[in-house]
Amino acid sequence: MGKQSQPISIRPAKSADLAALSRLDIAASATHPLIAQSFTYPFQALKLFLAHLQHCFARPEEYRILVARLRPAPAVESQSSVASALPASGSPAVNSDTDSGVDVSIACEFDDGDADADDGRCEIVGFVMWRECQKNSDLREDGKREEWDWLSQLPKGADIKLWKRYVEVMSSDSGTSGENGIEIQKLAVAPQYQRRGIGGQLLKAFIDEVEGRGMKEPVRVRASKDAKELYERFGWRMVREFKLDLREWGRYKVYVNFEMVRDSWCGQ
C-alpha cells in the first residue's frame, strides 16, 4: 500500500531556493550513473548542479521552475512535527545510498520570510523545471541558442569518458533544442517524501500553467524506469527507449530511460 498523499503548496522558485534544490536533485537521483560514478568528491556534484540551476534561473524567458513545499502543520502540532523530522542532535536528516558513492545528505530547508507561508516555515520537498524553446528567442549574435554544456563544466577529476558515453548513447534527434517546444528537464522529489503523490501534484501544476498560457506544443521528457508509469498516467507516451551498458564501469546491468512525449491538450 502506498504512503498517504502529502499536502503541499506549489510556487515559483526563488534564488534562495537553488542550493536546496541542488541537494534535493542529487539525493533524488543518487543511483543515476552520472551521479553515482562520476565524481571524486561529493561537493563537485553539488557545485555542478547548482551552477546549472543558476544558469537556468537566470533565463526566466526560457526556463521555469516550480517548487513544492509541505504545508505547515496546525499550530498545535507544528512544533512536535518539526522536532520529529530532525535528529535529536539538531543535525540534518540524512538519506544515503550505498551504491552512489556520493553524500546525498539534505537538510530540511525552510523559507522563513515567505508571506504566502501559513507560519513561515515550509520544507521544500520537490521541484519541476522545464524549458520552453520559442523560435528566434534568446539567440546569440551568430543565430544559435545559448546552451548549457555539461561536458565543458565538469570539474577536474570527473569521469569525462562516462559522460561522453552517456551523451553519445542517450542523445535524441527529436529534442527541442533550437526548435519550438517544451521539455521537462527535472522532476525531483526528496527521497523521504517519494510515493506520496508529490510528483503527480508537480506534474499537474506544470500542465495547468502551460495550458493556462495557451501553449499547445508537444512536451518531451526523459523518464527513468521508475518515473515512466507516472508520466503515462498524465498523458505521456513512450517514443524511444535508450540503454547504456555500464559493464566498463563495474556495473553488470544496463541503465535504461525513455523519451516520452505528451502531444494532446485540452481543447485540441
Side-chain angles (χ1 to χ4, degrees), residues 14-35:
K14 303 177 181 180
S15 59
D17 299 330
L18 299 184
L21 298 184
S22 300
R23 292 195 294 274
L24 189 154
D25 194 11
I26 294 275
S29 307
T31 59
H32 190 290
L34 294 184
I35 295 176

Side-chain angles (χ1 to χ4, degrees), residues 80-87 91-93 108 123 193:
S80 61
S81 298
V82 171
S84 64
L86 295 172
S91 58
C108 295
E123 182 184 351
Y193 292 107

Side-chain angles (χ1 to χ4, degrees), residues 32-45:
H32 190 290
L34 294 184
I35 295 176
Q37 299 182 245
S38 291
F39 302 100
T40 306
Y41 302 105
F43 73 85
Q44 294 178 317

Side-chain angles (χ1 to χ4, degrees), residues 18 21-22 49-57 127 129 186:
L18 299 184
L21 298 184
S22 300
F49 277 62
L50 176 58
H52 177 241
L53 280 180
Q54 290 171 334
H55 169 91
C56 298
F57 186 81
F127 73 104
M129 181 176 83
K186 292 181 182 291

Side-chain angles (χ1 to χ4, degrees), residues 117-173:
D118 292 345
D119 67 355
R121 295 178 65 80
C122 291
E123 182 184 351
I124 295 176
V125 294
F127 73 104
V128 59
M129 181 176 83
W130 69 95
R131 183 183 185 187
E132 300 174 1
C133 294
Q134 302 298 327
K135 191 173 182 180
N136 298 326
S137 67
D138 196 33
L139 299 181
R140 302 183 314 215
E141 293 182 0
D142 60 6
K144 296 182 179 180
R145 193 177 303 280
E146 185 177 5
E147 302 280 353
W148 171 266
D149 184 356
W150 285 99
L151 292 178
S152 69
Q153 299 292 332
L154 288 177
K156 185 177 180 180
D159 192 335
I160 296 178
K161 183 178 180 181
L162 175 57
W163 279 78
K164 286 183 176 179
R165 181 61 177 160
Y166 182 91
V167 171
E168 177 186 348
V169 172
M170 299 293 180
S171 293
S172 169
D173 297 331

Side-chain angles (χ1 to χ4, degrees), residues 11 69-73 109-123:
R11 62 153 170 79
R69 305 178 304 161
L70 287 185
R71 290 177 181 168
E109 297 293 334
F110 298 100
D111 299 318
D112 292 322
D114 284 359
D116 59 330
D118 292 345
D119 67 355
R121 295 178 65 80
C122 291
E123 182 184 351

